[in-house]
Amino acid sequence: MHPLLLLPARSALHGNQLAGGLPAGWAAPGAFPSLQQLTLSDNPQLGGALPAAWGSLSGAWPSLLELNASGCGLAGSLPDWSAGLQSLMHL
């Protein structure tokens, strides 16, 4: 089991010196069923593009309301979330 599968509904990982890319596996169906808020901000070494698999996060993060990745080194375009993540209110 991935350790982040145990994240509480509101998880703040900001300023934790996270590095590397974001895992495509986080988009696996049922990965974070209760996650409502994920804050990854202020991790400038967290880089790369958002994985294309994240375009289907609706099955992985059905309760997600807010995703904050400001101050990270992410680049590229956002995956197409128009069909999924209908609960997302803040990006």
Side-chain angles (χ1 to χ4, degrees), residues 36-40 50 54 57 61 64-70 81 85 88 90-91:
Q36 295 176 354
Q37 178 183 26
L38 180 59
T39 304
L40 299 169
L50 290 176
W54 282 34
L57 282 177
W61 303 4
L64 189 67
L65 300 173
E66 180 178 338
L67 174 60
N68 183 346
S70 62
W81 288 338
L85 289 181
L88 187 66
H90 301 281
L91 177 63

Side-chain angles (χ1 to χ4, degrees), residues 13-31:
L13 300 173
H14 63 277
N16 280 307
Q17 301 179 22
L18 299 177
L22 295 167
W26 285 8

Side-chain angles (χ1 to χ4, degrees), residues 32-62:
F32 303 96
S34 302
L35 186 63
Q36 295 176 354
Q37 178 183 26
L38 180 59
T39 304
L40 299 169
S41 61
D42 301 322
N43 285 294
Q45 298 302 312
L46 187 60
L50 290 176
W54 282 34
S56 61
L57 282 177
S58 60
W61 303 4

